[in-house]
Amino acid sequence: MDKQHTFHRSDLVRIAIDAMKERGLEPEFPPRALQQLQTIGAAGQDDDPRIRDLTALPWCSIDNDDSLDLDQLTACGPLSNGAVKIFVAVADVDALVKKNSAIDQHAHTNTTSVYTSARVFAMLPERLSTDLTSLNPGQERLAIVTEMVVDAEGAVTHSTVHRARVRNHAKLAYDAVAAWIEGEGDLPEAARAVPGMDEQLRTQDAVAQRMRARRRAAGSLDLETFQPRAVFDGDRVVDIRQQAQNRARQLIEEFMIATNTCTAQFLAQHGGSALRRVVRSPERWLRIVEVASKYGEALPKEPDSRALEGFLARQRKADPLRFPDLSLVIIKLMGSGEYVVEHARGEPIGHFGLAVRDYTHSTAPNRRYPDLVSLRMVKALLSGERPPYGLAELATLAEHCTHQEDAAQKVERSVRKSEAALFMQGLIGQQFDAIVTGRTESATWVRIFTPPAEGLLVSGDFNLDVGAKIRVKLVSTNVERGFIDFEQAH
């Protein structure tokens, strides 16, 4: 235990800063970027007559309770034969953040925002990402709008991409919207204030569920990761909570996946190369087959996402308690996603986990640099200009973005461990129900349920099988290193 120090939020910020520097990420904006920021006084403007006025559409944003960097809005309208037109607006961040500017160079260095509960290390300065380039309620903003016709079976049958002016009519949060959709809460006040917004949300939810069912049938993997986050009251960590999947999150997830696919197809159809996000067919597929066989399931000898999803769905239903641990095993064996350059006439690698062939990142340009690259490529095509990035530059970007995003995820993971260790400090000596999540020759790992936290078993029976339920006692924590140690209780 860290006996010499009582840890606070500021300690977690320091731990995060050190972790970022160690992995080649810049925690603070350089002076040149801050100087450029002083010259930006208003949201982006553009008098191009091709930009459509879609401010009257009933746009809304749905994001986390505390999200201020709003990248996308959604709206919908009914068509004939059960089809629905889905509109997705993505903030035109490029209107203010030009390629190779000082702010852009910092964004290029980190390539992503780094999210920790103690502090968000935004890719763009807050005055941009939470204000002037954010799709904030009541504000007119420039955007790239993707219009998709989704048929009664959940298939996108047609899509168009264009520039537009938009206005967010209701800033909504996932949990409140999901509670209302599922009949467990009232329609949020911001939605009640907009006539017809209840019908908008019902229709969008229904369309998203059809799209989700279609993707699942095609082999999209429904995995559940263990990523508890600290909850703060001022400077104190007061809880650790695992983020629950819900219908509102699924709504946004489906529309963003569809938009990313349509953007990739738009670039390809117009002869443009693009940064694509891919998850290759797993090289360690036979190890996945081995894992499934331990559960009495036989998977094909060749990679088959549909068969894998069937196995995962059955396991989620049969043993929800242990499903996050199985998910983690499968994620590790599948390998991580990466950015690659794909040419218009090339054969797409695809995204094995999402069961889609054409996929780019395009819907979060305030938070991810590849999305800003995609946005610039789309804008150049729409205006008939030369692509802002050549093939060699895109190839360098793909490698750099993959590396930096991996680094950011490692920082977030290590800080989550420190957050958990800080909260658990006050619970030393207490006992918990736990499950064995991992075992090597030298270590046994356990996960407790309430609060959700993972740690090392330092004393007890080290021959326990993964998945075994045991009772443990918390014996020590190390906030700096993110260590939590348990001993088996008798």
Side-chain angles (χ1 to χ4, degrees):
M1 177 179 167
D2 304 290
K3 292 176 182 171
Q4 295 78 27
H5 191 85
T6 303
F7 284 85
H8 301 285
R9 186 180 197 137
S10 56
D11 294 290
L12 291 171
V13 172
R14 174 183 52 76
I15 288 167
I17 287 171
D18 290 346
M20 287 181 71
K21 287 177 177 174
E22 195 181 306
R23 296 194 176 277
L25 298 163
E26 289 182 357
E28 310 298 346
F29 292 95
R32 284 181 62 243
L34 296 176
Q35 285 165 10
Q36 183 193 347
L37 186 63
Q38 296 308 310
T39 68
I40 302 172
Q45 304 293 323
D46 195 326
D47 56 8
D48 188 330
R50 291 170 293 190
I51 297 174
R52 302 182 198 176
D53 182 356
L54 296 183
T55 52
L57 276 179
W59 297 105
C60 71
S61 60
I62 312 177
D63 215 311
N64 291 310
D65 287 342
D66 55 355
S67 288
L68 299 173
D69 47 352
L70 305 179
D71 278 303
Q72 69 276 134
L73 307 176
T74 60
C76 69
L79 299 169
S80 58
N81 300 321
V84 176
K85 181 172 277 190
I86 298 294
F87 299 83
V88 174
V90 173
D92 184 355
V93 173
D94 175 69
L96 290 183
V97 182
K98 295 302 180 186
K99 186 188 175 193
N100 294 331
S101 64
I103 290 173
D104 182 64
Q105 285 170 3
H106 173 79
H108 173 277
T109 297
N110 282 2
T111 79
T112 183
S113 294
V114 179
Y115 290 90
T116 75
S117 298
R119 177 182 158 189
V120 174
F121 297 87
M123 183 181 82
L124 300 176
E126 276 189 24
R127 196 150 67 82
L128 297 185
S129 62
T130 68
D131 183 8
L132 300 180
T133 59
S134 178
L135 300 176
N136 289 349
Q139 303 297 314
E140 185 173 302
R141 292 285 187 263
L142 290 168
I144 298 291
V145 171
T146 302
E147 297 186 16
M148 298 171 280
V149 175
V150 184
D151 69 15
E153 304 301 315
V156 177
T157 58
H158 179 71
S159 67
T160 58
V161 181
H162 57 83
R163 299 183 68 196
R165 290 181 182 83
V166 298
R167 180 181 282 111
N168 185 354
H169 295 274
K171 180 178 185 286
L172 306 173
Y174 289 126
D175 293 349
V177 171
W180 173 72
I181 287 171
E182 292 161 13
E184 295 169 2
D186 295 331
L187 183 66
E189 194 175 329
R192 283 204 304 272
V194 182
M197 186 56 76
D198 54 346
E199 190 56 38
Q200 277 282 313
L201 293 171
R202 290 263 186 236
T203 302
Q204 290 183 39
D205 168 61
V207 172
Q209 289 301 314
R210 288 200 292 272
M211 295 170 84
R212 182 175 174 80
R214 187 180 180 84
R215 271 197 320 109
R216 293 281 298 281
S220 176
L221 306 182
D222 192 14
L223 297 157
E224 185 180 319
T225 53
F226 180 69
Q227 295 184 337
R229 303 300 293 260
V231 179
F232 284 91
D233 181 4
D235 202 36
R236 293 185 315 118
V237 179
V238 294
D239 200 1
I240 299 256
R241 286 184 203 148
Q242 169 74 347
Q243 181 179 285
Q245 178 66 290
N246 60 44
R247 290 272 282 274
R249 289 183 188 280
Q250 290 170 359
L251 186 163
I252 295 301
E253 181 181 19
E254 291 307 320
F255 290 176
M256 296 312 113
I257 290 170
T259 303
N260 286 332
T261 295
C262 291
T263 302
Q265 291 169 346
F266 174 80
L267 290 168
Q269 284 159 7
H270 290 81
S273 297
L275 268 190
R276 292 213 173 177
R277 182 69 174 175
V278 304
V279 172
R280 297 175 189 274
S281 187
E283 289 179 8
R284 290 182 285 180
W285 175 258
L286 292 179
R287 284 281 296 111
I288 294 175
V289 173
E290 261 179 57
V291 170
S293 70
K294 290 175 184 171
Y295 292 84
E297 296 251 5
L299 292 179
K301 292 289 184 280
E302 294 298 319
D304 184 330
S305 62
R306 195 178 281 128
L308 178 55
E309 168 51 24
F311 160 62
L312 291 170
R314 289 187 290 276
Q315 282 308 123
R316 178 194 286 275
K317 191 173 180 182
D319 194 354
L321 196 64
R322 295 173 178 82
F323 188 72
D325 308 307
L326 172 61
S327 290
L328 183 60
V329 169
I330 299 300
I331 287 167
K332 285 180 176 176
L333 289 173
M334 274 175 48
S336 54
E338 61 185 296
Y339 294 101
V340 301
V341 182
E342 289 194 351
H343 316 294
R345 288 171 298 282
E347 183 64 26
I349 295 168
H351 194 300
F352 184 84
L354 296 176
V356 292
R357 276 165 50 87
D358 302 292
Y359 197 71
T360 188
H361 271 170
S362 67
T363 57
N366 273 309
R367 314 178 191 193
R368 274 190 315 235
Y369 199 69
D371 303 57
L372 185 50
V373 171
S374 295
L375 187 144
R376 288 172 176 151
M377 298 291 275
V378 167
K379 278 180 72 176
L381 267 177
L382 289 171
S383 59
E385 296 171 2
R386 284 173 56 84
Y389 300 92
L391 277 177
E393 192 175 4
L394 282 173
T396 303
L397 271 169
E399 192 175 334
H400 175 65
C401 290
T402 298
H403 181 271
Q404 295 300 78
E405 197 168 292
D406 183 52
Q409 286 172 356
K410 285 174 178 168
V411 169
E412 290 172 352
R413 204 154 48 232
S414 70
V415 176
R416 277 200 302 271
K417 290 178 179 177
S418 290
E419 291 167 0
L422 176 54
F423 178 69
M424 297 295 288
Q425 259 190 346
L427 305 178
I428 286 174
Q430 291 190 25
Q431 293 191 9
F432 306 89
D433 289 323
I435 190 169
V436 177
T437 56
R439 205 180 96 193
T440 65
E441 285 183 14
S442 58
T444 298
W445 298 91
V446 297
R447 171 164 60 88
I448 63 172
F449 307 120
T450 310
E454 195 166 34
L456 187 67
L457 190 68
V458 296
S459 160
D461 180 359
F462 296 122
N463 294 314
L464 293 162
D465 290 331
V466 170
K469 289 184 185 177
I470 60 169
R471 188 85 175 154
V472 296
K473 183 169 89 170
L474 178 63
V475 290
S476 69
T477 68
N478 183 316
V479 177
E480 291 284 349
R481 301 178 74 181
F483 290 174
I484 299 173
D485 292 342
F486 297 99
E487 64 180 29
Q488 192 170 358
H490 297 289

